[in-house]
């Protein structure tokens, strides 16, 4: 004899830990055994008993863990228990019968469950007799939450289902009986109720099983496509590209997203994704759908279930265009012609992807070819639909009907002069041949940071002034194009950041109602050009980017990169050449340089989380010196060696200087030696001058630099003399430090 009221008392225990433990100890083994014996009689094999017990055990352990105890204290977890007969079909399990004790509603439920999509499918396909033929003793409930079940009258079930489609509040549906958790029941009576409900829900259960079997077969087909990871090589409009696939991720229940990118010579041209859906979301039908999207626009959306059958099924897809302000029939003809030109079989407005063999459970064609054709077709559709907006392919970016053959040839020559290459060996060799000095580790790190992600290229270079941050950015960008540091690179823009940049208009411009025109910026020009020439990487260097608050003026850019959504520029219809919205294409490479001092702002985590941050403080002055002109090195060797010693003394205090300072000091001393002898001073005097003018002005600190000042005073006295300018500065600073506890070069 079972006292259902006793179960309710277990659910009413206030202590979460005690409640979970007692509910589990009381329920789990008992009902698991009873349901197992029932299933053995009803089914005989091919089932499993699943209970809520494991979740209760986990919650119990969490609730006694100090880390989780407080947040678990007032939850409703442990106020429900269920045991189910389940069967595995394909890779997923289906619940055939559930016994649920609901402590919140104080009800015992026995039911078979269908998803919203399965019930909706019955009505939409005219098979509602499965529902209409249910015994009148069975009730219908919606699972509106973990604990709440709302009864639905049988007469309004169809209306209720249809009402859920538009707002997409698509709750599961349960069909069975409900008994209040009170009174005494024989165990055999509850088991009889389970058996009776099993019989009465047979048609629903059989439908659910067949539906799940069909879904499993479709899921297998989608998995065949999704499992392809090998890049696909495609020739588009005469140029060779590679399609690279990412890993599929579960965005939400019943949907997987797998990204892909179109690349050429390592440069990402276009981004897209495969969307594997268990249900047709827009209509709410229980149809497994495969979508292929390019840059946020859907170009293929098909029901994969059409491939199911007993024999071979050819996979023909239909394409239509629904663009505004364009001739959609003309677009369709152009798209079909392009597909045929690229080796895809076409018939009217249909195109063939491949043939599926239901007996062998595989495509007759190589699965990499099937997936490649889907991606290729979507890219060509995007190309046709874009009509200038999506200029993915090099020929389209160059050749226009209104240009003469001579102009086209000149454009081709100009583009041929600038060919990008992200091969690190080539980049490193190019940089090594430059007069600037950067360690291989630094170059490699920058290369990986800026190319590791297909859609986000953002690096922040931090370090003391003069370490070559901007030069490194320019050096790398030029090396990608095979250019020397000194050569002009039309695909590199160095933009100095101004302290008055307070919002996104500093980068994206704005419409001036006073001047009646759009105020263009260098940053926006690069974005527009990058969207035109997707083949070419476009580098932007935001120099001293933290002179203004980065999160203020860069927020729209970061959001656009992260969300892949377009950024609104204006809402006017009378502007030519400036689109109302603009996306951040994947061929934009953003490098920011920062210095940290009293004139700059700290950078927020929002920005740091979206960037690779590199610190350039170490400088290789020896290698730098080896690349200086031989005549200069002979004349200034002793002076350079003294500056190197000075640099080493300053390094532990982070007061050292970089390439720029060393170069400018060497340049001044070299120019001095070029003067007529009668106008020269001693080399020692000139060394004193450059040190006092380029190195000492940055000296400042508290008692932590006491030893440094003492050492510098002694060195300057012995090498430059006590009458030197540098010695007088250090002597004064040392006295100020003793008196005030802090000092600086400036008086």
């Amino acid at each position: 004899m079972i006292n259902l009221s006793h179960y309710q008392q277990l659910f009413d225990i206030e202590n979460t830990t005690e409640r979970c433990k007692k509910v589990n100890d009381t329920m789990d083994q008992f009902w698991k055994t009873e349901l197992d014996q029932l299933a053995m009689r009803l089914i005989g094999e091919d089932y499993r008993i699943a209970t809520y017990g494991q979740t209760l055990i986990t919650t119990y352990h969490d609730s006694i863990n100090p880390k989780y105890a407080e947040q678990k204290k007032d939850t409703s977890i442990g106020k429900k228990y269920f045991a189910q007969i389940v069967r595995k079909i394909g890779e997923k399990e289906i619940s055939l019968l559930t016994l649920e004790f609901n402590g919140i509603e104080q009800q015992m439920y026995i039911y078979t469950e269908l998803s919203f999509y399965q019930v909706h499918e019955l009505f939409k396909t005219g098979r509602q007799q499965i529902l209409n033929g249910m015994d009148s003793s069975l009730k219908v409930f919606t699972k509106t939450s973990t604990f709440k079940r709302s009864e639905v009258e049988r007469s309004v079930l169809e209306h209720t289902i249809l009402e859920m489609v538009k707002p997409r509040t698509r709750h599961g549906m349960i069909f069975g009986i409900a008994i209040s958790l009170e009174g005494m029941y024989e165990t055999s009576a509850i088991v009889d109720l389970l058996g009776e409900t099993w019989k009465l829900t047979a048609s629903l259960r059989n439908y659910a099983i067949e539906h799940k079997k069909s879904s499993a077969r479709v899921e297998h087909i989608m998995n065949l496509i999704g499992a392809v990871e090998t890049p696909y090589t495609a020739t588009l409009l005469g140029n060779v590209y590679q399609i690279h696939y990412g890993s599929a991720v579960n965005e939400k229940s019943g949907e997987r997203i797998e990204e892909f990118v179109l690349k050429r010579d390592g440069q990402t041209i276009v981004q897209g994704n495969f969307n594997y859906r268990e249900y047709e979301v827009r209509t709410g039908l229980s149809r497994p759908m495969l979508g292929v999207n390019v840059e946020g626009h859907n170009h293929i959306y098909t029901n994969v279930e059409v491939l199911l059958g007993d024999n071979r099924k050819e996979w023909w897809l239909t394409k239509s265009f629904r663009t505004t302000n364009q001739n959609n029939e003309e677009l369709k003809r152009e798209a079909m012609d392009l597909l045929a030109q690229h080796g895809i079989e076409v018939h009217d407005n249909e195109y063939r992807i491949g043939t599926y063999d239901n007996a062998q459970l595989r495509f007759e064609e190589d699965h990499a070819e099937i997936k490649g054709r889907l991606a290729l077709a979507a890219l060509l559709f995007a190309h046709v639909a874009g009509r200038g907006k999506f200029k993915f392919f090099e020929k389209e970016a160059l050749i226009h009907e209104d240009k003469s053959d001579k102009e086209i040839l000149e454009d081709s020559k100009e583009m041929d002069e600038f060919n990008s290459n992200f091969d690190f060996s080539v980049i490193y060799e190019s940089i090594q041949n430059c007069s600037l000095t950067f360690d291989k580790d630094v170059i490699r790190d920058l290369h990986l940071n800026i190319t590791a992600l297909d859609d986000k290229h953002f690096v922040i270079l931090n370090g003391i002034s003069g370490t070559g941050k901007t030069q490194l950015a320019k050096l790398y960008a030029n090396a990608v194009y095979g250019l020397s540091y000194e050569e002009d690179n039309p695909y590199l823009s160095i933009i100095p950041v101004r302290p008055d940049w307070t919002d996104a208009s500093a980068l994206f411009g704005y419409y001036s109602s006073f001047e009646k025109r759009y105020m263009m910026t260098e940053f926006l020009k690069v974005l527009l050009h990058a969207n035109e020439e997707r083949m070419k990487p476009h580098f932007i260097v935001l120099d001293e980017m933290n002179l203004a608050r980065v999160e203020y003026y860069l927020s729209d850019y970061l959001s656009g990169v992260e969300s892949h959504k377009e950024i609104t520029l204006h809402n006017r219809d009378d502007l030519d050449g400036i689109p109302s919205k603009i996306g951040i294409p994947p061929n934009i490479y953003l490098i920011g340089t920062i210095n940290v001092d009293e004139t700059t702002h700290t950078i927020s985590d929002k920005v740091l989380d979206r960037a690779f941050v590199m610190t350039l403080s170490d400088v290789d002055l020896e290698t730098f010196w080896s690349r200086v002109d031989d005549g200069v090195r002979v004349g200034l060797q002793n002076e350079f060696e003294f500056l190197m010693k000075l640099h080493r003394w300053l390094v532990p205090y982070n007061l050292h200087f970089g390439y720029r300072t060393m170069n400018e000091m060497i340049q001044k001393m070299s120019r001095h030696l070029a003067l007529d002898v009668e106008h020269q001073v001693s080399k020692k005097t000139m060394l004193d001058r450059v040190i006092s003018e380029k190195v000492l002005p940055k000296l400042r600190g508290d008692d932590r630099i006491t030893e440094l000042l003492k050492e510098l005073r002694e060195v300057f006295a012995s090498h430059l003399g006590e009458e030197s300018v540098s010695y007088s500065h250090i002597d004064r600073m040392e006295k100020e430090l003793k008196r005030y506890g802090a000092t600086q070069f400036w008086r």
Side-chain angles (χ1 to χ4, degrees):
M1 185 72 69
I2 296 174
N3 186 347
L4 295 184
S5 300
H6 175 64
Y7 286 169
Q8 182 59 44
Q9 291 170 10
L10 293 179
F11 296 132
D12 289 338
I13 294 174
E14 292 186 4
N15 183 285
T16 307
T17 304
E18 185 181 353
R19 180 171 69 238
C20 290
K21 190 173 187 305
K22 286 195 174 182
V23 169
N24 181 65
D25 292 346
T26 303
M27 301 282 209
D28 205 47
Q29 194 55 48
F30 179 76
W31 285 112
K32 187 174 185 180
T33 300
E34 290 292 336
L35 218 56
D36 187 47
Q37 293 175 354
L38 175 66
M40 184 64 71
R41 296 201 308 270
L42 297 175
I43 305 175
E45 58 182 13
D46 194 20
Y47 72 90
R48 182 177 76 88
I49 304 300
T51 72
Y52 195 54
Q54 188 58 51
T55 300
L56 290 173
I57 292 173
T58 302
T59 305
Y60 165 70
H61 286 295
D62 285 349
S63 64
I64 61 176
N65 185 334
K67 183 178 179 180
Y68 304 106
E70 189 62 30
Q71 67 188 66
K72 296 288 185 182
K73 184 174 64 175
D74 298 322
T75 65
S76 296
I77 296 176
K79 293 190 175 183
K80 182 179 76 170
Y81 177 85
F82 65 76
Q84 298 175 321
I85 302 174
V86 299
R87 173 181 292 176
K88 187 173 183 179
I89 299 177
E91 297 299 317
K92 297 180 180 179
E93 287 186 329
I94 179 174
S95 172
L96 304 179
L97 186 68
T98 299
L99 170 64
E100 176 187 314
F101 297 96
N102 191 316
I104 297 293
E105 294 190 328
Q106 302 185 23
Q107 294 282 315
M108 178 181 73
Y109 294 97
I110 300 174
Y111 58 83
T112 288
E113 181 176 358
L114 298 182
S115 71
F116 157 83
Y117 296 96
Q118 290 171 326
V119 179
H120 187 220
E121 186 82 6
L122 290 175
F123 284 114
K124 294 296 289 184
T125 55
R127 289 179 290 170
Q128 56 265 44
Q129 68 273 9
I130 293 179
L131 299 171
N132 296 335
M134 291 188 305
D135 189 271
S136 58
S137 64
L138 293 178
K139 295 182 178 182
V140 183
F141 302 88
T142 60
K143 294 178 65 175
T144 53
S145 70
T146 302
F147 295 96
K148 187 171 178 57
R149 283 85 179 92
S150 300
E151 186 173 357
V152 180
E153 293 293 332
R154 297 270 285 275
S155 59
V156 297
L157 177 57
E158 182 174 4
H159 176 75
T160 301
I161 290 294
L162 294 177
E163 284 291 301
M164 292 183 187
V165 174
K166 191 171 183 180
R168 298 184 183 179
T169 52
R170 300 168 182 181
H171 307 299
M173 311 293 295
I174 62 177
F175 302 84
I177 62 174
I179 297 174
S180 178
L181 282 182
E182 57 185 25
M184 306 292 289
Y185 279 81
E186 293 285 349
T187 303
S188 59
I190 295 179
V191 172
D192 288 343
L193 286 174
L194 287 164
E196 184 65 21
T197 305
W198 175 272
K199 293 178 183 177
L200 296 178
T201 57
S203 60
L204 294 174
R205 185 171 57 257
N206 292 335
Y207 161 69
I209 290 173
E210 290 306 311
H211 181 275
K212 188 61 69 173
K213 286 181 178 179
S214 176
S215 296
R217 292 175 65 189
V218 173
E219 185 175 8
H220 171 73
I221 295 174
M222 289 189 177
N223 287 340
L224 291 178
I225 298 171
V228 175
E229 298 178 348
T230 306
Y232 182 77
T233 300
T235 301
L236 294 166
L237 301 178
N239 294 305
V240 179
Y241 300 85
Q242 295 79 40
I243 298 173
H244 294 259
Y245 308 107
S247 56
V249 296
N250 288 314
E251 291 288 309
K252 51 190 174 183
S253 178
E255 181 177 13
R256 288 181 299 142
I257 304 293
E258 178 191 13
E259 294 186 349
F260 70 87
V261 294
L262 181 73
K263 289 190 174 187
R264 185 180 178 195
D265 297 330
Q267 168 63 52
T268 297
I269 311 298
V270 188
Q271 299 163 285
N273 64 67
F274 286 84
N275 194 323
Y276 307 92
R277 288 179 172 173
E278 189 175 348
Y279 308 111
E280 209 294 301
V281 178
R282 287 177 292 194
T283 63
L285 292 176
S286 183
R287 293 175 179 170
M289 306 296 292
L290 171 64
V292 187
N293 308 307
V294 177
E295 299 227 331
H297 297 269
N298 177 255
H299 293 284
I300 295 176
Y301 196 60
T302 181
N303 180 7
V304 184
E305 210 167 28
V306 297
L307 293 176
L308 299 185
D310 297 327
N311 303 307
R312 299 165 64 254
K313 284 291 185 76
E314 290 194 343
W315 196 6
W316 287 86
L317 302 182
T318 303
K319 179 59 182 177
S320 61
F321 289 87
R322 296 182 177 86
T323 62
T324 56
N325 304 320
Q326 295 191 68
N327 186 325
N328 289 309
E329 282 300 312
E330 182 182 322
L331 294 180
K332 183 175 68 176
R333 286 194 298 272
E334 183 180 346
M336 293 300 114
D337 287 344
L338 275 178
L339 291 181
Q341 292 172 27
H342 288 81
I344 296 178
E345 187 178 350
V346 171
H347 179 68
D348 292 333
N349 66 330
E350 291 185 317
Y351 57 101
R352 180 177 171 276
I353 296 298
T355 302
Y356 185 71
D357 189 329
N358 281 277
Q360 299 295 322
L361 299 179
R362 61 168 291 116
F363 287 96
E364 293 183 353
E365 298 82 358
D366 185 274
H367 295 152
E369 182 65 25
I370 295 295
K371 191 170 187 174
R373 288 178 186 174
L374 288 167
L376 178 64
L379 288 165
L380 290 172
F381 293 151
H383 170 70
V384 171
R387 281 292 174 92
K389 182 177 181 182
F390 297 122
K391 294 184 178 177
F392 298 150
F393 311 122
E394 194 165 276
K395 286 187 177 180
E396 289 299 306
L398 278 176
I399 301 175
H400 303 275
E401 293 179 359
D402 58 345
K403 287 193 175 185
S404 67
D405 292 342
K406 181 179 179 181
E407 288 174 318
I408 292 172
L409 182 60
E410 289 176 353
D411 283 347
S412 299
K413 288 180 179 178
E414 183 178 343
M415 285 196 68
D416 287 341
E417 292 177 4
F418 299 100
N419 295 314
S420 61
N421 190 337
F422 277 103
D423 185 292
F424 179 70
S425 299
V426 176
I427 292 172
Y428 181 62
E429 182 179 355
S430 178
I431 291 177
Q432 282 298 97
N433 293 329
C434 174
S435 60
L436 295 175
T437 304
F438 290 99
D439 188 79
K440 186 175 184 178
D441 287 341
V442 172
I443 300 168
R444 184 198 303 112
D445 206 27
L446 174 60
H447 174 73
L448 294 175
N449 287 341
I450 209 164
T451 61
L453 306 177
D454 289 323
D455 56 346
K456 291 189 291 186
H457 315 289
F458 182 22
V459 177
I460 295 175
L461 301 180
N462 168 51
I464 65 171
S465 179
T467 49
K469 299 183 291 294
T470 306
Q471 288 87 340
L472 175 61
K474 179 180 178 181
L475 195 61
Y476 182 84
N478 278 16
V480 168
Y481 281 96
L483 303 173
S484 67
Y485 176 79
E486 295 78 13
E487 291 184 87
D488 183 44
N489 185 348
Y491 298 97
L492 167 66
S493 293
I494 299 177
I495 303 174
V497 172
R498 293 166 50 97
D500 60 352
W501 287 11
T502 58
D503 57 36
S505 64
L507 296 181
F508 295 95
Y510 62 95
Y511 179 78
S512 171
S513 56
F514 177 74
E515 298 192 34
K516 306 297 183 184
R517 66 186 180 90
Y518 197 88
M519 307 303 288
M520 179 69 76
T521 65
E522 178 68 18
F523 190 90
L524 181 57
K525 287 180 183 177
V526 177
L527 287 188
L528 292 171
H529 197 247
N531 274 292
E532 289 284 323
E533 290 194 56
R534 289 295 187 100
M535 306 300 166
K536 306 294 186 181
H538 289 64
F539 294 90
I540 299 175
V541 178
L542 293 179
D543 204 18
E544 298 194 61
M545 68 184 302
N546 60 333
L547 281 178
R549 291 197 176 275
V550 181
E551 60 273 18
Y552 287 1
Y553 68 83
L554 202 62
S555 59
D556 283 8
Y557 174 86
L558 295 175
S559 177
V561 171
E562 199 73 25
S563 66
H564 298 163
K565 293 182 179 178
E566 294 181 318
I567 297 166
T568 300
L569 299 179
H570 62 82
N571 56 4
R572 303 185 64 86
D573 298 325
D574 57 349
L575 292 181
D576 294 329
I578 307 294
S580 60
K581 295 181 179 180
I582 191 168
I584 309 298
N587 56 331
I588 287 290
Y589 294 78
L590 184 62
I591 302 174
T593 70
I594 64 172
N595 295 316
V596 179
D597 55 38
E598 61 276 5
T599 68
T600 61
H601 298 278
T602 57
I603 300 180
S604 69
D605 288 347
K606 174 185 177 180
V607 178
L608 296 176
D609 287 347
R610 290 162 172 77
F612 287 100
V613 180
M614 296 175 59
T615 299
L616 277 63
S617 290
D618 297 331
V619 289
D620 184 1
L621 295 177
E622 292 285 0
T623 304
F624 164 82
W625 181 244
S626 69
R627 296 181 179 179
V628 172
D629 184 74
D630 289 344
V632 174
R633 284 193 287 121
V634 171
L636 296 173
Q637 183 64 39
N638 293 334
E639 286 68 29
F640 172 74
E641 290 176 359
F642 182 78
L643 290 175
M644 278 299 299
K645 291 178 182 178
L646 179 58
H647 182 269
R648 286 193 289 269
W649 292 323
L650 295 172
V651 166
Y653 302 90
N654 203 33
L655 294 171
H656 56 293
F657 47 89
Y659 296 113
R660 182 194 298 123
T661 298
M662 176 63 88
N663 181 60
E664 291 175 2
M665 289 190 292
I666 295 296
Q667 289 287 338
K668 179 175 179 177
M669 289 189 292
S670 176
R671 290 294 179 89
H672 167 253
L673 293 178
L675 296 175
D676 292 338
V677 176
E678 69 216 55
H679 300 303
Q680 293 183 17
V681 295
S682 67
K683 290 184 181 180
K684 181 185 296 186
T685 300
M686 189 50 58
L687 179 61
D688 175 34
R689 295 284 176 80
V690 295
I691 291 173
S692 64
E693 293 166 354
K694 296 295 294 183
V695 178
L696 299 188
K698 295 181 181 179
L699 288 189
R700 59 185 176 274
D702 52 24
D703 56 6
R704 286 173 290 185
I705 66 169
T706 300
E707 289 301 317
L708 172 64
L709 294 180
K710 179 181 177 182
E711 190 172 30
L712 290 179
R713 182 168 56 81
E714 293 174 354
V715 169
F716 288 167
S718 63
H719 193 86
L720 302 177
E722 294 186 5
E723 70 284 356
S724 65
V725 177
S726 298
Y727 177 88
S728 65
H729 282 303
I730 294 299
D731 184 59
R732 171 186 56 81
M733 292 176 67
E734 195 173 24
K735 292 174 182 177
E736 288 178 353
L737 183 59
K738 290 179 181 178
R739 175 176 293 185
Y740 304 114
T743 187
Q744 61 177 358
F745 172 82
W746 303 101
R747 293 188 240 188

